[in-house]
Amino acid sequence: MSHDDLPRIAEYDGPVGGWGSAKGMAAVGHVAKAGPGALETLAHQNKAGGTMCSSCAWGKPAQPHAAEFCENGAKATLWDLTTARCGPDFFARHTVSELVTWSEYDLERQGRLTHPMRYDADQDRYVETTWQEACEAIGAELRRLDPKKVTFYASGKAGLEASYLYALFARSYGHTNLPDSSNMCHETTSVGLKQVIGSPVGTCVLEDFEHCDMILHVGQNPGTNSPRMLHPLQQAAKRGCHIVAMNPLREKGLLEFANPQSPLQMTVGAPTEIADSYLQVRTGGDIAALTGIAKHVLELEETEGGVLDHDFLTRHCHGLQDWMDWVAATDWTRLERVSGLTRQQMQHTAVCYARSKAVIGVYGMGLTQHVHGSDAIGALVNLLLLRGNIGRKGAGCSPVRGHSNVQGQRTVGITEKPELVPNDTLRDLFGIEPPSEEGWNTTAFVRALLEGRAQGFVGLGGNLARAVPDQDRVAQAWGRMPLTVHIATRLNRTHLMPGQSSWILPCLVRAEEDMQDGVNQQVTIEDSFSHIHASTGKRSPAAEHLKSEVAIVAALAEATLDANPKLAWADWTADYARIRSLIEATYPDDFHDFETRMTQPGGFYRGNPARERDWQTDTGRANFTVPRDLDATGLGDGADLFRLMTLRSNDQFNTTIYGMSDRLRGIEGDRMLVMMSPEDMRELGIQAEERITLRGADGDARQVAGLRVIPYDLPRGCIAGYFPELNPLSPLDRHDMVSDTPASKGIPVRIVADQSPSGIASDR
Ligand SMILES: Nc1nc2c(c(=O)[nH]1)N[C@H]1C(S)=C(S)[C@@H](COP(=O)(O)OP(=O)(O)OC[C@H]3O[C@@H](n4cnc5c(=O)[nH]c(N)nc54)[C@H](O)[C@@H]3O)O[C@H]1N2
Ligand SMILES: Nc1nc2c(c(=O)[nH]1)N[C@H]1C(S)=C(S)[C@@H](COP(=O)(O)OP(=O)(O)OC[C@H]3O[C@@H](n4cnc5c(=O)[nH]c(N)nc54)[C@H](O)[C@@H]3O)O[C@H]1N2
Ligand SMILES: [Mo]
C-alpha cells in the first residue's frame, strides 16, 4: 500500500451536529443509492401519521421538530430505501463460499433482497424459490425437529404485531427459545433493574428531561447512537442543568453539539457545550466511581445535614444499613484505584448531586455489557435512591434502548422466561399449552450451538452469528444446524453460513406500504420511554415478491402447526387491527383502547409502577445493592491484560456498516483498528498507524490480527475498537452474572506484535 492509500486519521474538530452531519448523510445517501421518495419519508419520520424511524429507540415527542430525524436515523432510512437490489441474478453469479469472505459493508451494499431464496448445496448457491415452496419445506422441517432444539431469534426491529405472532408461534409449536437482541444489550436492565426497583425498563418519560437539574450520563454515546437525544441534552444544558458524563472515552457527542435544525448555529457553527464535567473512568470503573460519589453524599449528610431524603429512604427502601456499612468499609484508595478517578472528582460530583433537586441517571452499553453490569446498574440506583430521585418529576433512571422496538418485543412476549407471559390467558385465547420451562436466551443458544444441541434457527431480522461473542467458533458451528431461516431485508454474513436446509425470506421495511386486502396496514412500536406509536409505511415496496414480517411469520406458523380454529393466522394477516386486539386481550393493562390510542401524537404511555413508587421487587421496596465486585469487569488488578471495549462507529447500525467514517472521533479509513492511550503506546514502543494483533487472555486461541493503532484519549490499560470485527476476542463465558448479557466491554486481551511474514507473532 502506498502512503497515499493509507487511511487517514483526521482530527475532527467540528461540533457533532451542523454541517458535518449534513455531509455525512449525503455521503451515505450516495453509497446507499437512496431513491427519490427517501426525502419525503424523512419529512414525516417520527411524527404522528408518519413512519417511525427504524434506527434507535429514542422517544418521539408529541411536538416534533420540523425535521424530527437525525444524521443516523436518516442514514437508516436512506439505507432501507436504496434503489440497489440483490436478486436471483446476483446469487447466480456468486457462490456462498465466495460471498462469505465479503465484508458486511460489501454484502449489504448490494441492496434489498427481492425474492425468497433456497440454498442449493450442489451448486453452493442460493437459488430462487417461491413462497409456497419455502413455507411448505420449512414447515415440514420444523415438524420433523424437536421444538425444544429450535430457536426463534428476533433482532428488535419488527413491530409489536409481528413480534406477538412470532412469540405465539413459538409457544404453540412448543418452545420458548426466544432470544432477542436485547439479550446482548439491555437484558442487564430487564433483569438487573427489575431486581432493584421492580421495573425492567426505564422510569423516565421524555418530559422529565425538561425538569431535571442534573443528568448523570454513564456509558452511552448519544452523538452516534441516539442523536435525537442531543436536542433535549442541549436544551437542558442551556437551562443550566448540570450534565456529568462518565465514560473512559471522550465522546464528541457528550462534549458539544451544534443543532443542525437551528439555522443560526448551522451558519455560525457555535456549538453548545454539553457535559460540564467529564469523568474519564477506567473501563469497568463505574461501580467504584458511583460508590465514591455516594460515599461523599453520605459524608455531606454527616457534615452538613439535609442531604438524604430520609422520608423516602424509610418508606420506600430496603437494605440501606447493610449497604452503608459496606460503603464505610470501602476506602477511598480502593475507590480511586478501581474507578481511575481522583477522590476530588468523585467528591465534586457528589456536591453537585447533593445540590440538585431532580437527577436523571442515563446509561447505555458502557454499564450493561460487563460481567458485573447488573451491579453497576445497582450502583447507579443506590445513588439515585439516596435523594429519592426515582418516581418523581424530572428524576429517574433512564436506560437508552437500542433497536427501535426492542423494548416492545419483550412487552408482547418475546422472552425465554415463561413467568413473564400470561400463559393462562394464552391458553384461554388460543387453546394452546405454552411450555412452562425456561427457554434459551442468546448465550444459552450459542452454548447449545457450540455443543451441537441446536437443530434449527429462525431469525426475524438480525445478523446473529456476527453479533455474538466467540464469532470464529460460532461461524464454524452455525452450518451444522439442519435448518436455518432468515427473514431479512439485506444479505448478511449469517445468511452465508447455511444449514442443511437454508432459506432467505425477504421482507418489507417499515417505510414501505404494507397492503393487505387492499388496505395499507399500520404497525406499532415501543420507544425507550414506554410510549407506543403507530407507524405507517408510504413508499412502494422495493420488489413485488416482498412480504411483511407479519405475513411471513403467519405463513410459517400456518405451514408448521396442526390446524387450530383459534389460531387464525390468515385472518390476522388480513387486518393487523385483529392482532392488536389480541395484544390488548393478552395485556389489557398496558394496551387498553390500543386502536384509538396508538395514533396520538407522542404515542401513548403504557405506564410503569416504579414511576409511581410501587416497587414490584422481592422485598416490595427499592433495594440497595452491595455489589459482588467493585470492578465491573471482574478482572482485578495486576495482570498485564488490557481492557478492550467494542463499540459502534458513527457509520454503522450494529453489523450494518454504512461507511468507513467515524466522523465524531476523527477516524477515517478502515475499521480494523484499536484506539489506545499515547502513554501506553509509548511504553509498548508502538507507533501510530502500526498494525498489531490482539490475543485473548492467557492460553486461549482467540485472536484478531492486522489492527491499526490510533492514539486516543483513553485511560491507561483501556483500549477500544469496533464491533463486530473484534467479536472473535469476546469469550462466551464472560457475561453479566444475573442476565447473561455478553461482556462486550472490558474484554481481557493482550497486545502482540502483528503477524510477521513467517506467521509467528512475538509478544510485546
Ligand atoms: N447509529 C447507530 N445508532 C444505534 C446503534 C448503532 O449501531 N448505530 N445501535 C443501537 C443499539 S442496538 C444500541 S444497544 C445502542 C447502543 O448505544 P450505546 O449504549 O451508546 O453503545 P456503544 O456504542 O456500545 O457505546 C457505549 C459507550 O460506553 C462507553 N463505555 C465503554 N465501556 C465503558 C465503561 O466501562 N464505563 C463507562 N462509563 N462507559 C463505557 C463507550 O466509550 C461508549 O461511549 O445504540 C442504538 N443506536
Ligand atoms: N462485541 C460486541 N458485540 C455486540 C455489541 C457490542 O457492543 N459489542 N452489541 C450487541 C447489541 S447491543 C445488539 S442489539 C446486537 C445486534 O445484533 P442483531 O440485531 O442481530 O444485528 P443487526 O446488525 O442489527 O442485524 C442486521 C440485519 O438485520 C436485517 N434487517 C434490517 N432491518 C430489518 C427489518 O426491518 N426486518 C428484518 N426482518 N430484518 C431486518 C438485515 O438483514 C441486517 O443485515 O449485537 C450485540 N453484539
Ligand atoms: Mo442493542
Side-chain angles (χ1 to χ4, degrees):
M1 192 185 258
S2 79
H3 186 75
D4 286 348
D5 295 338
L6 276 178
R8 279 183 309 132
I9 317 168
E11 188 55 47
Y12 179 74
D13 51 15
V16 175
W19 291 115
S21 72
K23 277 190 210 146
M25 279 189 266
V28 169
H30 181 67
V31 175
K33 304 197 182 82
L39 287 180
E40 213 179 300
T41 301
L42 287 176
H44 62 76
Q45 189 147 302
N46 297 324
K47 295 179 184 167
T51 308
M52 296 301 144
C53 180
S54 64
S55 190
C56 83
W58 186 253
K60 284 95 185 135
Q63 278 106 33
H65 287 253
E68 186 61 38
F69 62 87
C70 66
E71 170 187 4
N72 286 337
K75 286 183 194 169
T77 303
L78 298 178
W79 206 246
D80 275 354
L81 298 180
T82 175
T83 52
R85 298 288 177 268
C86 182
D89 53 331
F90 172 82
F91 290 99
R93 287 198 302 275
H94 304 282
T95 64
V96 165
S97 315
E98 179 204 336
L99 291 175
V100 75
T101 65
W102 290 25
S103 69
E104 251 81 35
Y105 175 71
D106 286 326
L107 290 172
E108 289 219 8
R109 231 158 36 116
Q110 302 311 314
R112 294 280 302 282
L113 295 160
T114 58
H115 289 68
M117 305 297 293
R118 167 179 68 83
Y119 179 63
D120 182 292
D122 295 336
Q123 301 183 48
D124 185 32
R125 281 187 173 81
Y126 273 101
V127 295
E128 188 179 337
T129 180
T130 62
W131 283 104
Q132 193 182 349
E133 186 197 3
C135 291
E136 278 172 9
I138 295 165
E141 192 61 18
L142 284 173
R143 278 199 304 278
R144 198 184 63 78
L145 295 172
D146 174 359
K148 301 280 183 269
K149 294 182 175 163
V150 174
T151 294
F152 286 8
Y153 173 72
S155 90
K157 270 193 185 174
L160 295 174
E161 294 77 4
S163 304
Y164 177 87
L165 292 191
Y166 196 52
L168 176 63
F169 176 20
R171 292 192 173 86
S172 311
Y173 170 53
H175 72 74
T176 50
N177 299 331
L178 285 162
D180 187 280
S181 61
S182 178
N183 282 134
M184 297 172 276
C185 182
H186 268 292
E187 190 63 10
T188 323
T189 300
S190 307
V191 182
L193 191 62
K194 175 108 174 60
Q195 283 183 353
V196 291
I197 61 164
S199 168
V201 299
T203 66
C204 290
V205 296
L206 206 44
E207 295 76 58
D208 286 321
F209 285 80
E210 292 163 21
H211 302 287
C212 54
D213 53 1
M214 178 179 179
I215 297 172
L216 188 54
H217 195 110
V218 191
Q220 200 267 342
N221 182 17
T224 285
N225 295 326
S226 48
R228 287 187 304 110
M229 180 185 195
L230 294 171
H231 294 295
L233 286 179
Q234 183 189 39
Q235 290 309 317
K238 284 190 173 159
R239 277 194 289 113
C241 169
H242 292 287
I243 301 182
V244 177
M246 194 182 279
N247 197 314
L249 205 145
R250 288 177 68 81
E251 298 283 20
K252 196 89 189 172
L254 283 163
L255 292 165
E256 53 188 36
F257 172 59
N259 189 341
Q261 281 149 32
S262 151
L264 186 65
Q265 282 197 8
M266 279 287 263
T267 41
V268 299
T272 315
E273 301 277 332
I274 290 194
D276 51 24
S277 161
Y278 208 100
L279 301 173
Q280 237 179 327
V281 280
R282 269 169 97 210
T283 304
D286 306 272
I287 299 177
L290 293 162
T291 302
I293 299 167
K295 186 177 174 82
H296 193 59
V297 171
L298 295 175
E299 289 168 354
L300 290 171
E301 172 71 13
E302 292 243 310
T303 53
E304 295 173 13
V307 173
L308 301 188
D309 184 340
H310 291 286
D311 181 53
F312 175 81
L313 290 166
T314 319
R315 285 176 41 199
H316 292 285
C317 298
H318 171 85
L320 176 63
Q321 193 55 51
D322 286 350
W323 174 76
M324 281 176 47
D325 293 346
W326 170 77
V327 174
T330 308
D331 62 53
W332 281 108
T333 326
R334 258 189 89 206
L335 293 170
E336 286 188 316
R337 198 183 58 216
V338 180
S339 68
L341 302 180
T342 63
R343 180 173 177 171
Q344 289 69 30
Q345 284 176 303
M346 294 183 262
Q347 288 177 333
H348 178 81
T349 311
V351 170
C352 175
Y353 176 79
R355 287 186 188 148
S356 300
K357 293 195 177 65
V359 181
I360 298 181
V362 170
Y363 66 89
M365 299 297 101
L367 271 204
T368 63
Q369 293 178 330
H370 276 298
V371 168
H372 298 295
S374 291
D375 285 337
I377 293 175
L380 178 60
V381 167
N382 292 337
L383 180 62
L384 292 174
L385 293 178
L386 289 178
R387 287 177 50 76
N389 273 313
I390 297 185
R392 60 186 170 79
K393 193 165 138 184
C397 194
S398 191
V400 183
R401 304 294 301 236
H403 275 297
S404 53
N405 190 36
V406 65
Q407 186 166 312
Q409 294 197 328
R410 284 276 187 260
T411 303
V412 297
I414 295 202
T415 167
E416 76 285 357
K417 297 185 179 72
E419 67 277 12
L420 298 184
V421 275
N423 277 336
D424 288 339
T425 311
L426 295 182
R427 255 180 229 113
D428 291 347
L429 283 172
F430 306 112
I432 61 165
E433 195 42 62
S436 55
E437 68 275 24
E438 183 155 331
W440 292 337
N441 59 20
T442 300
T443 298
F445 159 68
V446 175
R447 206 171 281 140
L449 174 76
L450 296 177
E451 291 168 4
R453 287 181 284 118
Q455 299 285 298
F457 176 87
V458 182
L460 182 57
N463 185 7
L464 190 62
R466 299 287 291 167
V468 292
D470 271 328
Q471 203 181 70
D472 290 347
R473 288 167 65 207
V474 166
Q476 282 164 27
W478 197 272
R480 283 189 226 126
M481 287 188 282
L483 177 69
T484 54
V485 180
H486 302 283
I487 302 164
T489 54
R490 288 170 177 271
L491 186 61
N492 67 45
R493 294 273 271 281
T494 306
H495 308 157
L496 301 166
M497 305 173 188
Q500 282 134 43
S501 169
S502 188
W503 307 81
I504 300 175
L505 307 178
C507 65
L508 297 171
V509 297
R510 201 180 287 153
E512 286 167 340
E513 277 180 344
D514 179 355
M515 300 299 283
Q516 307 289 346
D517 268 4
V519 178
N520 190 15
Q521 302 294 316
Q522 289 178 296
V523 298
T524 47
I525 55 126
E526 175 177 340
D527 66 27
S528 272
F529 301 105
S530 306
H531 281 63
I532 317 271
H533 311 258
S535 176
T536 314
K538 303 190 176 179
R539 311 308 329 153
S540 304
E544 63 169 312
H545 296 295
L546 301 184
K547 283 188 188 288
S548 71
E549 289 167 317
V550 165
I552 298 172
V553 169
L556 291 177
E558 186 119 58
T560 306
L561 305 173
D562 292 337
N564 169 351
K566 290 184 169 171
L567 294 176
W569 304 102
D571 279 359
W572 297 336
T573 306
D575 181 359
Y576 297 179
R578 294 176 189 148
I579 309 172
R580 285 188 286 275
S581 75
L582 296 173
I583 295 176
E584 182 170 343
T586 313
Y587 306 95
D589 293 343
D590 290 342
F591 289 98
H592 62 90
D593 305 312
F594 195 177
E595 204 61 26
T596 46
R597 289 196 298 160
M598 69 181 196
T599 49
Q600 87 195 23
F604 73 85
Y605 186 44
R606 73 177 173 85
N608 183 340
R611 192 177 164 81
E612 314 305 321
R613 297 191 166 174
D614 166 6
W615 316 102
Q616 303 192 345
T617 60
D618 56 350
T619 59
R621 286 165 167 252
N623 292 318
F624 276 87
T625 356
V626 173
R628 294 162 186 78
D629 195 330
L630 210 50
D631 178 351
T633 69
L635 289 173
D637 292 321
D640 65 337
L641 294 175
F642 279 78
R643 294 159 177 233
L644 168 70
M645 46 183 173
T646 49
L647 317 164
R648 293 149 173 83
S649 79
N650 192 54
D651 235 2
Q652 74 183 87
F653 190 89
N654 297 338
T655 63
T656 296
I657 312 300
Y658 303 125
M660 301 297 147
S661 164
D662 199 355
R663 189 171 65 76
L664 308 183
R665 297 196 182 111
I667 299 174
E668 304 289 335
D670 74 317
R671 296 171 43 89
M672 294 298 283
L673 59 84
V674 180
M675 295 168 239
M676 188 185 289
S677 85
E679 294 78 18
D680 281 336
M681 288 173 60
R682 210 169 301 130
E683 188 171 306
L684 294 170
I686 298 176
Q687 307 296 318
E689 297 287 312
E690 188 177 331
R691 300 265 169 185
I692 59 158
T693 295
L694 292 182
R695 286 255 178 92
D698 289 333
D700 74 41
R702 298 180 178 91
Q703 134 166 352
V704 176
L707 297 166
R708 182 164 64 104
V709 177
I710 309 280
Y712 212 89
D713 188 350
L714 278 161
R716 300 222 33 195
C718 301
I719 57 177
Y722 298 131
F723 143 62
E725 288 81 355
L726 297 181
N727 282 37
L729 293 163
S730 174
L732 181 65
D733 56 11
R734 277 182 58 80
H735 51 71
D736 175 48
M737 304 291 278
V738 299
S739 68
D740 286 357
T741 307
S744 301
K745 313 290 187 264
I747 301 171
V749 291
R750 287 187 305 132
I751 295 173
V752 296
D754 207 15
Q755 305 283 32
S756 64
S758 63
I760 301 158
S762 60
D763 282 44
R764 284 271 174 186

